[in-house]
Amino acid sequence: MKKLINDPRNVVRQMFKGFVAMHKGRFRLLDEVNVVVKSKLDPGKVGLVIGGGSGHEPLFLEFIGDGFADAVCQGNIFAAPPPDVILAATKAADRGHGVLYVYGNYAGDNLNFDMAAEMAEMDGISTATVRVMDDVASAPPERITDRRGIAGDFYVIKIAGAACDAGLDLDEVRRVTEKAGNNTRTMGVALSPGTIPGIAKPAFELPDDEIEIGMGLHGEPGVRRGPMEPADALVDSLVELIAADLPLKSGDDVCVLVNGFGSTTRMELLICMRRALERLDQLGVKVYDAQAGNYATCQEMAGVSISLLRLDSELRKYYDRPAWSPAFSTRGLFQRGTLVEDSGCRC
Amino acid sequence: MKKLINDPRNVVRQMFKGFVAMHKGRFRLLDEVNVVVKSKLDPGKVGLVIGGGSGHEPLFLEFIGDGFADAVCQGNIFAAPPPDVILAATKAADRGHGVLYVYGNYAGDNLNFDMAAEMAEMDGISTATVRVMDDVASAPPERITDRRGIAGDFYVIKIAGAACDAGLDLDEVRRVTEKAGNNTRTMGVALSPGTIPGIAKPAFELPDDEIEIGMGLHGEPGVRRGPMEPADALVDSLVELIAADLPLKSGDDVCVLVNGFGSTTRMELLICMRRALERLDQLGVKVYDAQAGNYATCQEMAGVSISLLRLDSELRKYYDRPAWSPAFSTRGLFQRGTLVEDSGCRC
Amino acid sequence: MDSMSAAQAREMMIYVADVIVESKELLCEADRNIGDGDHGIGMAAGLERCRDELRAREFTDVYDVFFTSGRTMIRTMGGASGIIFGMLFHAGSRNMPSQSEIGVSEFSCMFEKALTEIQAKGHAEVGDKTVVDALHPMVVSLRHSSESALPFKEALRRAYLAAEEGKEASRHYVAKVGKAKALGERAVGFPDAGAVSLSVIAKAMSDWAEKNL
Amino acid sequence: MDSMSAAQAREMMIYVADVIVESKELLCEADRNIGDGDHGIGMAAGLERCRDELRAREFTDVYDVFFTSGRTMIRTMGGASGIIFGMLFHAGSRNMPSQSEIGVSEFSCMFEKALTEIQAKGHAEVGDKTVVDALHPMVVSLRHSSESALPFKEALRRAYLAAEEGKEASRHYVAKVGKAKALGERAVGFPDAGAVSLSVIAKAMSDWAEKNL
Ligand SMILES: Nc1ncnc2c1ncn2[C@@H]1O[C@H](COP(=O)(O)OP(=O)(O)O)[C@@H](O)[C@H]1O
Ligand SMILES: Nc1ncnc2c1ncn2[C@@H]1O[C@H](COP(=O)(O)OP(=O)(O)O)[C@@H](O)[C@H]1O
Ligand SMILES: [Mg+2]
Ligand SMILES: [Mg+2]
Ligand SMILES: [Mg+2]
Ligand SMILES: [Mg+2]
């Protein structure tokens, strides 16, 4: 597998360097550790630290910004950052009002963030934690805390960033963010594997005419393998699995994210988006906002996931808060200019 | 090759449908033809129509918006749109002040857009044309009009959109846009091919340890094949080829786009960005703005191109004009809020 | 038989469409070698639409058959070939007075106009590795057949052979136009995809004439 | 010889690091079967850093050798294994009074504490398909060796055999923790990657003791 890298051992560091250089002045990179921090932090607010393994870009790195994370820390490819790195991000993000951690629910992340939280506590920084567990495929509802965090991270981070930005205290930020997590679900389907830089073998093998429903963002096996199907049939399955799990009912308001795993073309994402919106409409569900793109990837894996965030009036308020990050920003001109009455909203 | 599609014959139409559904209300899709138009067009301005073959998304489709194109028309995968389709876009975009066409310089596009221009003329709509020919690899400087248009399309479209938005007349819009074209250069390197939906075979073959410098966005052969090299060495080659071609000199101001062809990870793009900025700095070139992302793709081709737009004070003025499109928008919050002094500018 | 009626022209073009649709993969392969690999897709789709239009009604004007074919291709295909192959049928049939049948001379004249317009729009000469490499000798052959008053069947047979020869000759050229331009010497050895299409079309016409004229 | 000096512990840990670095591909392969395929990368990188730290200076305190190893792994590795394997050496050596040498009993005690802390943080029981499947029997064996006053060499040999057996047993389990969780029955037949690492570490210790104690 050819990759545009220099040395597999420094891919993460060089990526961080490229990121801060490209956004010159906006973010700073800490010495020694793979942590980026906003150059200017609003005082008086709870800090938001997100992170996890590398290799899922733009997640987590590029969800830093106004109304998004204050600091991002990443470990090696597919490996949670060490506690010392998380602690450095925590210290950088703390403005005396504590720090919220938002990350995907994996053994490695849990262990490292928990240890970092203990270390922060010793240094007098309060922390709170929301683990994202949106992946419907990864465990049945009765074992929901066994579920992994995948593309739904985006929604939970967006709401957490808005809650911090709104000036809520740590407990309230946690409560609102947890609510976002409880209302977020994702189902994905993988078509072909990604590869880890420096490792020739892909993470898994998938026959030329087969797909895997529910495969995880690190190639973890999903709920079933089956023959390739038309996009509409696959999208229908994903939407229905989510709808049954939430459960979604007619009249509900949702945001929809059609997420590509890496090498899936925008053409395919938009074809899937088309069907997802059709299917939700058939279910009587109202779509408040929708986006398609690579939000949470697994290197050059091919496939797509669909995430829904079910909104109530409180979540909608935080979802609507203007925000800017390199990976996603609210509607810019459209909110200020010609289409202001339609700002980010499909109601 | 597995793709998330329903039928290779309707991929383009279904993509357009997904696009307008996702942006509900912002754009409208014409009946029968693959043309999207902004729902609200500022009166009194020159219209901007862009287009080309499909399969390069987000180009052209997603460069519609405020300060971007008014209408976008696309043909089938890798095929210019027919003149009748371009004419429909032209009529939709015209507000009585004429229409500028911006597209990549390919035989098929030239033939179809020229015929559309003749048809528009017969219908009383004046048009002007700027063909993008940024691909340094595709012909030597003395045959510059033989060069293809690739990722540099982005800069030329951005400037054209700003010039239209600023209310210039058709001649002036053309002049400014041509200036942008004359100052835009791109060099790419391909690592692996993409595939056309419905066609099992990739567009070309590339041995497992080889790359091709200068390969086109449809898999057209480039200037040389060679062994895979570290990212920094490749980026240096690309930057130097562009610098020699422009030619770039110490003290010049440029914008930099590191463009992925489809399946290249953001990690790789940012690693390449890091080196491109370093190398430009060594050359004494000042980087005004920089972005990394998939702007002009060739399905799931792997590889990267580097585009430079050399700015003078006039081009900078248009580059700086706030703009919003689904694929790219100027800095949003950062321009209005905390980081306004750094708005989009790296000077 | 020395003339072709509107009904016959319609049958012939439907047959041409059938053959092109069947040749889709062959044409893509030709384009894959030195272009972007989509030529067969466009041609097959365009001629399928043509076939639909031709089947949809009866024709009394021979030129209308070719005009309908050409205009449909221009309207629906896109790509270089939409214009080039559309004009192949459209350039010489457009604005022509209605004719219930035509002879070799009118037929030849039609393709001569097509060559002129294709060159005017596309700026390609023989040797630039385009459809012109096959179309030029085909037109020369048709003109000769017309001057020699050869019957349709024979004129089409010779037209095909000339197109085929022109297509083969295109192998030796370095492309100066189209997506193979950047290939330089690397394109040598492969025929131009559009020339392959033209040869397929000419052969289909000749085969059809062999059986039906 | 019934005790291990600080210098010996340092040599042993350097040898363990060498073996893990060499086993990188094997450990990735194990993780590829039922995890995300990166286990060898993390372990090799972490133990390389350990080796650097250990080589950088002399040690007079045995616990300092293990503490330095464990803390370095925690600080640099990340992933589940950074904490789990860091704690393997860190949990039982942290806050211990300085000792120039230790016996089997202290050694056994250190790993017992590690097991306790790993289970406290990771909530895994034997049978959940984690490193605990191999560590638990290893700790039981070490305790027994300590009670039976077996020499170090023999204690480490038995510890390895117990770990190896536990790793093999992990093949039969359905994962309840870690990235293989979602696999359900499909994980059966493959050993847990962390258990494979532990068995490699235990073997390296035993091999080192065989030659050097
Ligand atoms: N300027 C031109 N003049 C004549 N023929 C051309 C010209 N440009 C392209 N062609 C013909 O069109 C063919 C390519 O058609 P096609 O693959 O369908 O379009 P595209 O190049 O848009 O992919 C070429 O093989 C060539 O024969
Ligand atoms: N909660 C846990 N308790 C004990 N061991 C665990 C736990 N979670 C993971 N492990 C161990 O860590 C190993 C995975 O390590 P590694 O692949 O390096 O990390 P990651 O899972 O972050 O990719 C598993 O094979 C298992 O032995
Ligand atoms: Mg991992
Ligand atoms: Mg084409
Ligand atoms: Mg082609
Ligand atoms: Mg792992």
Side-chain angles (χ1 to χ4, degrees):
Chain A
M1 182 70 206
K2 285 170 279 191
K3 296 231 181 197
L4 289 160
I5 61 172
N6 294 297
D7 178 340
R9 282 168 306 185
N10 62 20
V11 285
V12 178
R13 189 68 184 166
Q14 293 198 335
M15 169 176 74
F16 270 74
K17 285 189 175 163
F19 178 76
V20 293
M22 178 168 83
H23 293 285
K24 190 171 167 183
R26 290 195 176 129
F27 309 115
R28 64 195 173 88
L29 175 61
L30 300 194
D31 294 339
E32 312 283 331
V33 289
N34 292 326
V35 173
V36 283
V37 189
K38 280 161 57 179
S39 298
K40 296 193 185 165
L41 294 170
D42 274 4
K45 288 180 182 172
V46 169
L48 176 60
V49 170
I50 63 172
S54 291
H56 305 300
E57 290 70 29
L59 187 74
F60 295 86
L61 179 57
E62 302 187 271
F63 287 103
I64 187 173
D66 284 4
F68 277 98
D70 296 302
V72 180
C73 48
Q74 288 188 187
N76 290 325
I77 303 257
F78 301 169
D84 302 78
V85 175
I86 302 169
L87 181 64
T90 309
K91 287 178 175 172
D94 182 49
R95 279 149 279 166
H97 293 76
V99 168
L100 179 72
Y101 293 152
V102 176
Y103 56 88
N105 184 42
Y106 295 90
D109 297 275
N110 299 349
L111 288 165
N112 286 280
F113 274 93
D114 280 352
M115 191 176 283
E118 282 175 29
M119 290 158 76
E121 203 66 52
M122 285 194 279
D123 286 345
I125 304 175
S126 332
T127 64
T129 292
V130 176
R131 295 175 178 160
V132 183
M133 31 190 95
D134 57 317
D135 185 1
V136 174
S138 51
E142 58 280 11
R143 289 196 291 112
I144 204 155
T145 57
D146 277 354
R147 287 187 177 172
R148 308 179 285 237
I150 50 175
D153 282 342
F154 162 64
Y155 287 127
V156 185
I157 293 168
K158 169 71 182 79
I159 299 295
C164 291
D165 203 43
L168 304 193
D169 69 18
L170 186 56
D171 274 350
E172 271 296 281
V173 165
R174 188 215 341 243
R175 182 189 61 75
V176 170
T177 306
E178 252 164 16
K179 192 195 228 185
N182 292 338
N183 284 284
T184 300
R185 294 289 187 286
T186 300
M187 269 299 308
V189 54
L191 272 58
S192 71
T195 52
I196 298 180
I199 302 219
K201 259 200 197 167
F204 57 92
E205 269 155 42
L206 206 47
D208 239 21
D209 51 356
E210 281 189 17
I211 53 165
E212 178 145 340
I213 305 267
M215 176 172 284
L217 266 189
H218 311 86
E220 301 97 330
V223 289
R224 71 176 165 85
R225 279 198 183 190
M228 183 63 192
E229 290 177 64
D232 286 4
L234 289 172
V235 168
D236 285 357
S237 302
L238 302 183
V239 169
E240 279 148 28
L241 283 162
I242 294 171
D245 194 82
L246 254 172
L248 211 56
K249 54 183 199 318
S250 177
D252 279 349
D253 274 320
V254 297
C255 297
V256 185
L257 169 64
V258 174
N259 172 63
F261 291 157
S263 64
T264 298
T265 59
R266 284 199 70 77
M267 176 173 277
E268 292 164 271
L269 297 184
L270 292 170
I271 288 173
C272 292
M273 172 60 79
R274 181 195 114 275
R275 183 59 190 172
L277 296 177
E278 274 175 15
R279 192 75 195 92
L280 287 166
D281 190 52
Q282 288 166 1
L283 295 173
V285 173
K286 286 181 285 177
V287 174
Y288 183 72
D289 195 19
Q291 35 261 333
N294 291 354
Y295 282 59
T297 65
C298 174
Q299 295 290 300
E300 68 288 342
M301 193 195 275
V304 73
S305 66
I306 295 179
S307 301
L308 297 185
L309 166 65
R310 181 173 50 192
L311 295 173
D312 63 7
S313 60
E314 183 180 42
L315 289 177
R316 180 172 319 163
K317 188 179 75 189
Y318 292 109
Y319 187 81
D320 276 348
R321 256 190 107 81
W324 181 92
S325 76
F328 174 87
S329 70
T330 48
R331 293 294 190 263
L333 264 201
F334 272 88
Q335 289 189 330
R336 291 173 285 154
T338 50
L339 282 183
V340 67
E341 77 286 7
D342 182 37
S343 69
C345 154
R346 301 173 32 91
C347 32
Chain B
M1 182 70 206
K2 286 170 278 190
K3 296 230 181 200
L4 289 161
I5 62 173
N6 293 298
D7 179 340
R9 283 167 306 186
N10 63 19
V11 285
V12 179
R13 190 69 184 165
Q14 292 198 337
M15 170 177 71
F16 270 75
K17 284 189 174 164
F19 178 77
V20 293
M22 179 168 81
H23 293 287
K24 190 170 170 183
R26 290 197 177 128
F27 309 114
R28 65 195 172 87
L29 176 60
L30 300 193
D31 294 339
E32 311 284 332
V33 289
N34 292 325
V35 173
V36 283
V37 189
K38 279 161 60 179
S39 298
K40 296 193 186 166
L41 294 169
D42 274 3
K45 289 182 181 170
V46 169
L48 177 60
V49 170
I50 62 172
S54 291
H56 305 299
E57 290 69 27
L59 185 76
F60 295 87
L61 180 57
E62 302 186 271
F63 287 103
I64 188 173
D66 285 5
F68 278 97
D70 296 304
V72 180
C73 48
Q74 288 189 187
N76 291 326
I77 302 260
F78 301 169
D84 303 76
V85 175
I86 302 169
L87 181 65
T90 310
K91 288 179 175 170
D94 182 49
R95 279 150 279 166
H97 293 76
V99 168
L100 179 72
Y101 292 152
V102 177
Y103 57 88
N105 184 42
Y106 294 89
D109 297 276
N110 299 349
L111 289 165
N112 285 281
F113 273 94
D114 281 352
M115 190 174 283
E118 282 176 27
M119 291 158 78
E121 204 66 49
M122 286 193 280
D123 285 346
I125 303 176
S126 331
T127 64
T129 293
V130 176
R131 293 174 181 162
V132 183
M133 29 190 98
D134 57 318
D135 186 0
V136 174
S138 51
E142 58 280 10
R143 291 196 287 113
I144 203 155
T145 56
D146 276 355
R147 286 186 177 173
R148 307 178 286 236
I150 50 175
D153 281 343
F154 162 64
Y155 287 128
V156 186
I157 292 168
K158 169 71 181 79
I159 299 295
C164 291
D165 203 43
L168 304 193
D169 69 19
L170 186 56
D171 274 350
E172 272 296 280
V173 165
R174 189 213 342 240
R175 183 188 63 74
V176 170
T177 306
E178 253 164 14
K179 191 194 229 185
N182 292 337
N183 284 283
T184 300
R185 294 290 185 286
T186 301
M187 270 298 309
V189 54
L191 272 57
S192 72
T195 53
I196 298 181
I199 302 219
K201 259 200 198 167
F204 58 94
E205 269 155 40
L206 205 48
D208 238 21
D209 50 357
E210 281 188 17
I211 53 163
E212 179 145 337
I213 304 268
M215 175 170 283
L217 265 191
H218 312 88
E220 301 96 333
V223 288
R224 70 177 165 85
R225 279 200 181 190
M228 183 63 192
E229 291 176 64
D232 285 4
L234 289 171
V235 168
D236 285 356
S237 303
L238 302 183
V239 169
E240 279 147 28
L241 284 160
I242 295 171
D245 194 81
L246 256 173
L248 210 57
K249 54 181 200 320
S250 177
D252 279 350
D253 273 321
V254 298
C255 298
V256 186
L257 169 64
V258 173
N259 173 62
F261 291 157
S263 64
T264 298
T265 59
R266 284 198 71 77
M267 177 174 276
E268 292 164 272
L269 297 184
L270 292 170
I271 288 173
C272 291
M273 172 59 80
R274 181 195 114 275
R275 182 60 190 169
L277 296 177
E278 274 174 15
R279 192 75 195 91
L280 288 166
D281 190 51
Q282 288 166 1
L283 296 173
V285 172
K286 286 180 287 176
V287 174
Y288 184 71
D289 196 18
Q291 36 261 335
N294 290 354
Y295 282 59
T297 65
C298 174
Q299 294 291 300
E300 68 287 345
M301 194 196 275
V304 73
S305 67
I306 295 179
S307 301
L308 297 186
L309 166 65
R310 182 174 48 194
L311 295 174
D312 63 6
S313 61
E314 184 180 42
L315 290 176
R316 182 174 316 165
K317 187 178 77 188
Y318 293 109
Y319 187 80
D320 276 348
R321 255 189 108 80
W324 181 91
S325 77
F328 174 86
S329 70
T330 47
R331 293 294 191 266
L333 260 202
F334 272 86
Q335 290 190 329
R336 291 173 285 155
T338 49
L339 282 184
V340 65
E341 76 287 6
D342 182 36
S343 71
C345 155
R346 300 172 35 87
C347 32
Chain C
M1 195 173 184
D2 265 295
S3 72
M4 187 187 280
S5 70
Q8 286 173 321
R10 172 173 174 269
E11 284 313 310
M12 183 179 77
M13 285 305 294
I14 288 173
Y15 181 69
V16 166
D18 290 341
V19 173
I20 285 288
V21 168
E22 275 163 32
S23 309
K24 180 173 166 179
E25 202 24 64
L26 174 95
L27 302 178
C28 281
E29 184 64 36
D31 196 27
R32 201 141 47 217
N33 291 326
I34 56 174
D36 59 357
D38 62 356
H39 184 57
I41 302 182
M43 290 297 286
L47 280 143
E48 221 177 305
R49 294 290 289 267
C50 263
R51 195 168 61 184
D52 293 346
E53 295 286 329
L54 295 175
R55 280 196 182 138
R57 61 185 175 99
E58 299 297 313
F59 287 80
T60 53
D61 172 11
V62 188
Y63 288 123
D64 191 17
V65 171
F66 293 111
F67 176 83
T68 300
S69 303
R71 188 68 185 89
T72 302
M73 290 170 76
I74 290 172
R75 200 181 63 243
T76 63
M77 280 174 62
S81 46
I83 301 286
I84 299 287
F85 285 87
M87 287 194 300
L88 182 69
F89 301 111
H90 179 254
S93 62
R94 189 179 61 208
N95 301 325
M96 291 299 282
S98 184
Q99 292 286 340
S100 60
E101 50 186 40
I102 60 170
V104 171
S105 143
E106 288 87 348
F107 190 86
S108 163
C109 201
M110 208 166 58
F111 284 90
E112 198 154 344
K113 285 186 189 160
L115 176 61
T116 306
E117 191 156 328
I118 287 170
Q119 290 197 277
K121 300 231 188 242
H123 313 289
E125 302 294 329
V126 170
D128 287 354
K129 212 172 183 103
T130 71
V131 71
V132 170
D133 297 340
L135 183 56
H136 188 272
M138 176 171 154
V139 164
V140 169
S141 162
L142 281 171
R143 192 190 308 142
H144 186 263
S145 297
S146 157
E147 283 160 13
S148 319
L150 294 182
F152 240 121
K153 205 185 284 192
E154 182 59 16
L156 285 174
R157 201 182 64 82
R158 291 186 182 198
Y160 158 58
L161 292 176
E164 171 67 15
E165 212 172 288
K167 176 210 78 179
E168 283 301 311
S170 77
R171 286 183 190 273
H172 309 304
Y173 305 143
V174 171
K176 298 225 180 61
V177 159
K179 283 178 181 144
K181 215 158 47 180
L183 261 171
E185 292 294 329
R186 284 155 75 177
V188 172
F190 299 102
D192 171 63
V196 173
S197 267
L198 187 72
S199 161
V200 168
I201 290 171
K203 178 164 194 310
M205 287 178 169
S206 170
D207 286 352
W208 180 87
E210 197 60 44
K211 289 202 204 106
N212 300 288
L213 283 187
Chain D
M1 194 170 185
D2 264 295
S3 72
M4 185 186 280
S5 70
Q8 286 173 322
R10 173 173 172 267
E11 285 313 308
M12 181 179 77
M13 284 306 294
I14 287 174
Y15 181 69
V16 166
D18 290 340
V19 172
I20 285 288
V21 169
E22 275 162 35
S23 310
K24 181 173 166 180
E25 203 22 66
L26 172 97
L27 301 179
C28 281
E29 184 64 39
D31 196 27
R32 201 143 44 219
N33 290 327
I34 56 174
D36 59 358
D38 62 356
H39 184 58
I41 301 181
M43 291 297 285
L47 280 141
E48 222 177 305
R49 295 289 290 266
C50 264
R51 195 169 60 184
D52 292 346
E53 296 285 329
L54 294 175
R55 279 196 182 137
R57 61 184 175 100
E58 299 295 313
F59 286 80
T60 53
D61 172 11
V62 187
Y63 288 123
D64 191 16
V65 171
F66 293 111
F67 176 82
T68 300
S69 304
R71 188 66 184 89
T72 301
M73 291 171 75
I74 290 172
R75 199 180 65 244
T76 64
M77 280 175 61
S81 46
I83 301 286
I84 299 289
F85 285 87
M87 289 195 298
L88 182 68
F89 301 111
H90 179 253
S93 61
R94 189 179 60 208
N95 300 326
M96 291 299 280
S98 182
Q99 291 286 338
S100 60
E101 50 185 40
I102 61 169
V104 171
S105 146
E106 288 88 350
F107 190 87
S108 161
C109 200
M110 208 167 57
F111 283 90
E112 195 154 345
K113 284 185 189 160
L115 175 62
T116 306
E117 192 157 325
I118 287 171
Q119 291 198 277
K121 299 234 191 248
H123 311 290
E125 302 293 327
V126 170
D128 287 352
K129 210 169 185 108
T130 70
V131 71
V132 170
D133 297 341
L135 182 57
H136 187 273
M138 175 172 153
V139 164
V140 169
S141 162
L142 280 171
R143 192 189 308 142
H144 186 262
S145 296
S146 157
E147 284 161 9
S148 318
L150 294 182
F152 241 120
K153 202 184 284 192
E154 181 60 16
L156 286 174
R157 200 181 67 80
R158 291 188 183 195
Y160 157 57
L161 293 176
E164 171 67 17
E165 209 172 289
K167 176 211 73 176
E168 282 301 310
S170 77
R171 287 183 188 272
H172 309 306
Y173 305 143
V174 171
K176 298 226 182 60
V177 160
K179 284 177 181 146
K181 215 158 49 180
L183 263 170
E185 292 295 328
R186 285 154 75 177
V188 171
F190 298 102
D192 170 62
V196 173
S197 268
L198 187 72
S199 161
V200 168
I201 290 170
K203 178 164 193 312
M205 288 178 167
S206 170
D207 286 352
W208 180 88
E210 197 61 44
K211 287 199 207 112
N212 299 286
L213 283 185

